[in-house]
Amino acid sequence: MINGFEKEYGIVPMNFFESLASISGSQLKVIMYIAKHTIKNGQCKPVKLTIEEIQKGKFENGKRIDSGTGLSTGIISKSLKNAIKDGFLCATSIMRTNCGKRNTTH
């Protein structure tokens, strides 16, 4: 529950609000979660997030710092693909050679 707004905030482009009618609620949730971790103090920096972190919360210093989106992994994957296709997000895939899993930076 939100009891007020924090002093820390980021700026959202106005054309983003004009696009709200064309995206799903889950896609918006994923975009806003990623934005939370990439836009800080007016600066935008890439962030590495796993599907699990988007779902359950980001890890920092060995513990979760938030509760994530609560969406299923399938819905998160679909929302990420659509957000990238629609130009809301960009991603860089990084292959790990030790276990074959892929990490994606959004």
Side-chain angles (χ1 to χ4, degrees), residues 6 12-13 57 80 83 93 96-97:
E6 296 180 18
V12 179
L80 284 170
S93 295
R96 285 187 184 171
T97 56

Side-chain angles (χ1 to χ4, degrees), residues 17-18 22 45 47 49 52 63-64 76 88 90 97:
F17 295 108
E18 295 169 10
S22 67
K45 295 182 180 178
V47 63
L49 291 170
E52 182 180 341
K63 66 179 196 174
R64 294 210 190 270
I76 292 169
F88 292 106
C90 56
T97 56

Side-chain angles (χ1 to χ4, degrees), residues 31-76:
I31 292 166
M32 296 306 291
Y33 185 79
I34 293 170
K36 171 186 173 182
H37 291 287
T38 58
I39 303 169
K40 293 186 180 184
N41 300 322
Q43 296 182 12
C44 186
K45 295 182 180 178
V47 63
K48 291 181 184 178
L49 291 170
T50 64
I51 297 288
E52 182 180 341
E53 287 178 320
I54 295 170
Q55 180 183 36
K56 298 178 181 176
K58 184 163 172 43
F59 269 104
E60 269 185 24
N61 300 321
K63 66 179 196 174
R64 294 210 190 270
I65 60 169
D66 58 39
S67 56
T69 64
L71 298 169
S72 71
T73 57
I75 293 295
I76 292 169

Side-chain angles (χ1 to χ4, degrees), residues 50 52 93-104:
T50 64
E52 182 180 341
S93 295
I94 302 168
M95 294 298 288
R96 285 187 184 171
T97 56
N98 59 347
C99 61
K101 293 185 179 178
R102 183 173 64 184
N103 280 344
T104 304

